[in-house]
Amino acid sequence: MTDSLDSGTDEYHPLLRPLVAVRSSFLNFIVALGVAMLAAAIAVSGAIAGILGVLGISAIGYALLGELGLRAIGYK
C-alpha cells in the first residue's frame, strides 16, 4: 500500500477507493454531494426534506450535464 494518495498507483485499500475516486474528480464530488443530500432528504421530514431533495437532484443533474459537456468537447 502507498503512503500518499497523490502517488500514481491505484493500489488502495478497498474501503479507500471510493474516497480516492471522489477526491480525484470534481464531477464525482458533485455526484457524491447530491447523493448525500438525497439521503439526508430521506432521513428528515418537513420542508427541509424537500429542499435537500431538490438540491440533491439538481447536483446530480448538473454533474450529468457536465459529463455530457466534457464528452461533447472530447475531453477525457
Side-chain angles (χ1 to χ4, degrees), residues 34-62:
V35 169
M37 286 184 194
L38 284 175
I42 292 170
V44 299
S45 63
I48 194 74
I51 293 169
L52 288 171
V54 169
L55 288 174
I57 290 170
S58 296
I60 293 170
Y62 284 126

Side-chain angles (χ1 to χ4, degrees), residues 3 7 9-10 17 27 30 32-33 38 48-49 55 59 62 64 66:
D3 293 328
S7 65
T9 63
D10 289 329
R17 287 183 188 142
L27 291 176
I30 296 299
L33 195 62
L38 284 175
I48 194 74
L55 288 174
Y62 284 126
L64 291 175

